[in-house]
Amino acid sequence: MTALLTIIVLVFILVAIWQMVKIFDLAQAKIENTQVATDKDNTVNAYLMMAFLVFIYAITIYSFIKWGDLPLMSNSASAHGPTIDNLMVILMIIIFIVQTITQFLLHYFAFKYKGEKGKKALFFADNNKLEAIWTIIPVIVLAGLIIYGLNTWINIMGVEETEDTLVVELYAQQYNWKARYAGADNTLGKANVRLIDIDRANILGLDEADPNAQDDIITTELHLPVGRPVLFKMRSQDVLHSAYMPHFRAQMNCVPGMVTQFGFTPTVTTADMRQTPQIIKKVKNINEIRAENSKELLAKGEEPLEPYEFDYLLLCNKICGKSHYNMQMKIIVETQEEFDAWLSEQKEFKNSLIN
């Protein structure tokens, strides 16, 4: 009944608005209404354009003061991270300079050459010199950026699998991650989603007959040794996912039916990253918010929120379903000794099967 009454009220409101519009149109019928802008209209719009230009610059300056904590990108934790950050900073500087100049010219020309009665516009059918300038400059700038970006991409993707390289598989499924480490042989065993056998706890579909699979280790937490190259092999069980590790400036799609790969070398341990001023400030702000929210929960007789502690995270950066937002896995970067101790405590694949 409430819904019906709401619909009836909305209908009456729309009818009333329609009637008011008709009355307004009838009242304006005898008033001269031309679509041609007058000098007054052009002058008002010209000054509005300049006012909007001032607004753009003012909000830009305010944003820099309020949120422009330079350098904008400074917390990378991988060997190639600073290269990615430099590329992004160069792009932002170029975009900022071009945007500042073009916005000024756009608004200033609209003000200076506003329409005036009796003024005839002067135009050139073509200007080879001007066209050459605005073609050659962008070509040079874009070519430089493309070459620099392509060279950066080649260096990042050109990970060589050596004896020292740690090989790890990232297995994506709605809505969680699994990590599979190659055992002592440093070679991942064969796997296929058709071989998944939940009854035997073969959750990743490893080939039980493959000798290289016997010492593989499956975990729900990703541990990485600092300073050692890591090569990730990525698979997806169901839909398209994307393995995104923001602090390591790493992202690669996980595609059903194929294996993709990405590699990097971690350079900052979790413990060291937690001690950086930026992370300390972030953790403090989050915990202040949590403490404030916990007061309300305690007043309702509910459990308070736990204090936040920084951890690197592996996230899914493709919308893969209703619980996409919660698809993440903790990443712990530690010393080689700590990594070896942790790995020795994990079960090998052959010992994790249920007979």
Side-chain angles (χ1 to χ4, degrees):
M1 179 60 75
T2 303
L4 178 60
L5 290 174
T6 303
I7 294 173
I8 292 172
V9 170
L10 289 175
V11 170
F12 278 122
I13 291 174
L14 291 174
V15 171
I17 293 173
W18 177 52
Q19 291 296 330
M20 290 174 63
V21 170
K22 287 179 65 178
I23 294 170
F24 179 78
D25 289 340
L26 290 172
Q28 297 293 317
K30 294 184 179 180
I31 300 176
E32 183 180 354
N33 186 13
T34 175
Q35 297 298 316
V36 178
T38 63
D39 284 357
K40 181 180 178 181
D41 295 331
N42 291 329
T43 301
V44 169
N45 281 297
Y47 278 102
L48 285 174
M49 289 290 281
M50 292 306 294
F52 190 68
L53 177 64
V54 172
F55 169 76
I56 291 175
Y57 286 156
I59 199 68
T60 302
I61 294 170
Y62 175 78
S63 297
F64 267 113
I65 296 173
K66 182 73 174 177
W67 297 291
D69 188 12
L70 299 175
L72 298 177
M73 305 176 71
S74 60
N75 60 354
S76 63
S78 62
H80 73 263
T83 308
I84 295 289
D85 291 354
N86 288 339
L87 180 59
M88 291 296 295
V89 169
I90 290 171
L91 284 171
M92 286 189 285
I93 290 174
I94 292 175
I95 291 171
F96 178 76
I97 293 173
V98 172
Q99 185 265 354
T100 302
I101 295 173
T102 54
Q103 289 300 317
F104 172 79
L105 293 175
L106 172 66
H107 291 78
Y108 176 72
F109 273 63
F111 173 80
K112 182 174 176 60
Y113 299 105
K114 59 185 178 292
E116 293 179 355
K117 192 174 182 179
K119 180 187 288 186
K120 187 176 180 181
L122 176 65
F123 68 93
F124 299 93
D126 61 79
N127 188 318
N128 294 336
K129 182 178 180 181
L130 187 59
E131 291 177 5
I133 291 173
W134 73 42
T135 301
I136 292 173
I137 293 177
V139 166
I140 293 174
V141 173
L142 288 174
L145 290 174
I146 291 171
I147 292 172
Y148 179 34
L150 187 61
N151 184 58
T152 301
W153 176 253
I154 291 172
N155 290 336
I156 293 172
M157 297 304 296
V159 179
E160 295 184 4
E161 191 172 342
T162 64
E163 292 183 359
D164 186 50
T165 305
L166 176 65
V167 181
V168 182
E169 178 185 71
L170 295 178
Y171 186 82
Q173 63 182 128
Q174 295 173 312
Y175 300 95
N176 63 71
W177 297 94
K178 297 287 190 299
R180 177 163 65 109
Y181 293 84
D185 56 5
N186 203 28
T187 303
L188 290 171
K190 296 177 183 178
N192 192 302
V193 292
R194 294 181 177 85
L195 299 176
I196 292 175
D197 188 345
I198 301 299
D199 294 334
R200 285 180 52 75
N202 187 357
I203 57 177
L204 302 192
L206 273 64
D207 186 350
E208 297 180 24
D210 183 9
N212 292 326
Q214 303 306 309
D215 62 350
D216 287 358
I217 296 170
I218 300 172
T219 68
T220 56
E221 200 171 70
L222 184 59
H223 285 243
L224 303 174
V226 67
R228 182 177 175 184
V230 182
L231 180 62
F232 294 99
K233 306 282 186 176
M234 304 177 189
R235 286 193 299 145
S236 172
Q237 176 175 304
D238 35 51
V239 299
L240 183 66
H241 298 278
S242 187
Y244 177 45
M245 294 167 270
H247 285 91
F248 303 101
R249 309 297 190 256
Q251 178 171 315
M252 179 58 68
N253 286 345
C254 305
V255 185
M258 67 180 293
V259 177
T260 55
Q261 69 176 39
F262 195 100
F264 62 80
T265 302
T267 56
V268 183
T269 65
T270 299
D272 288 341
M273 182 61 79
R274 286 173 179 169
Q275 299 305 314
T276 60
Q278 186 180 27
I279 297 301
I280 290 174
K281 181 180 178 182
K282 174 185 175 181
V283 171
K284 180 183 177 183
N285 290 339
I286 292 175
N287 282 330
E288 286 176 356
I289 295 171
R290 289 197 171 195
E292 196 64 31
N293 292 337
S294 291
K295 293 178 182 178
E296 299 180 8
L297 294 175
L298 289 171
K300 297 177 183 177
E302 299 178 13
E303 290 292 325
L305 297 173
E306 294 182 1
Y308 167 75
E309 185 176 45
F310 170 82
D311 277 303
Y312 295 122
L313 290 175
L314 165 61
L315 307 169
C316 178
N317 207 22
K318 284 286 186 295
I319 300 177
C320 56
K322 61 182 180 181
S323 294
H324 155 76
Y325 70 95
N326 202 33
M327 185 173 168
Q328 55 185 262
M329 181 166 65
K330 184 192 294 188
I331 303 174
I332 298 175
V333 180
E334 54 200 357
T335 64
Q336 184 67 51
E337 293 75 18
E338 291 170 329
F339 173 77
D340 291 338
W342 171 82
L343 195 64
S344 65
E345 297 173 354
Q346 310 306 309
K347 275 188 178 182
E348 293 183 346
F349 173 66
K350 62 184 178 183
N351 298 326
S352 65
L353 292 173
I354 299 174
N355 296 320

